Amino acid sequence: MPAPLHASDPRKFVTRAGQTLAFTALGFGSAPLGNYLRALPEKECDQTLAAAWSSGIRYYDTAPFYGLGLSEMRVGRLLKQKSRNDFVLATKVGRLLEPCEVNAVNGVFFVDTPQVRFHYDYSYAGVMRSFEDSLGRLGLDNVDILYVHDVCALVHGGREASEGRIQELITSGGWRALTELRARGMVKAIGAGVNEWQPCAR
């Protein structure tokens, strides 16, 4: 009989550039910490993250979209207290957050969010700004993995619209921004955070 799997069991991924990312078998997906469908007290968020850390989880995934910045701030509050070499952190680019009027907040299924709205931007400047804004919310100076978020038909309304976003990423410099951040050591790996396989294959 195989040994039981534990959250803290080690996994490793080696990038094409030879960077090693040491994952745990279980990761922490933090979309719910963005007040997904219901508002969460800060104490409950802190306790949830503390329990995840205590269980041995060392891979954390977040994004600007999750609670329009709330998830990144809450995850960062835990991780900036830890040794930077003790965890793997992923966030995403593709949406920029801008201050807005109360009735213009577009949190979709995230509630009680900051008074901002998102707009899509897969350009060079958009990726760079999204990354810098995420570092500010996280309170960290780098992340391990940077994903392009939601260049998929499910989000944009069809395969043609998905391809349009992929072309925006390529032709307006977004992918170049990702590769520059990786070359400068600001991130170790880049990829796509999407809800279907086709953009990954593309």
Side-chain angles (χ1 to χ4, degrees), residues 157-174:
R159 189 65 53 215
E160 184 177 346
S162 169
E163 179 62 22
R165 291 300 186 181
I166 292 170
Q167 287 300 318
E168 179 186 344
L169 177 73
I170 295 168
T171 61
S172 64

Side-chain angles (χ1 to χ4, degrees), residues 89-118:
L89 173 64
T91 193
K92 305 177 183 74
V93 296
R95 288 180 177 89
L96 291 177
L97 306 181
E98 304 279 3
C100 67
E101 300 297 324
V102 174
N103 61 358
V105 174
N106 57 350
V108 191
F109 30 65
F110 297 103
V111 302
D112 287 356
T113 65
Q115 194 172 317
V116 298
R117 63 180 290 112
F118 74 83

Side-chain angles (χ1 to χ4, degrees), residues 21-23 28 30 49 53 58-63 71-80 83-92 131 134-135 137-147 186-189:
L21 295 172
F23 290 83
F28 186 95
S30 67
L49 283 161
W53 187 272
R58 296 295 182 268
Y59 174 43
Y60 295 83
D61 176 89
T62 186
S71 171
E72 287 183 318
M73 289 186 282
R74 288 167 168 173
V75 169
R77 194 160 63 217
L78 168 81
L79 296 183
K80 65 187 177 183
S83 171
R84 186 61 189 86
N85 294 326
D86 287 348
F87 60 87
V88 171
L89 173 64
T91 193
K92 305 177 183 74
F131 178 66
S134 287
L135 294 183
R137 288 187 290 267
L138 289 161
L140 299 168
D141 59 11
N142 64 75
V143 300
D144 298 289
I145 307 168
L146 196 57
Y147 292 115
M186 302 296 290
V187 301
K188 294 178 180 176

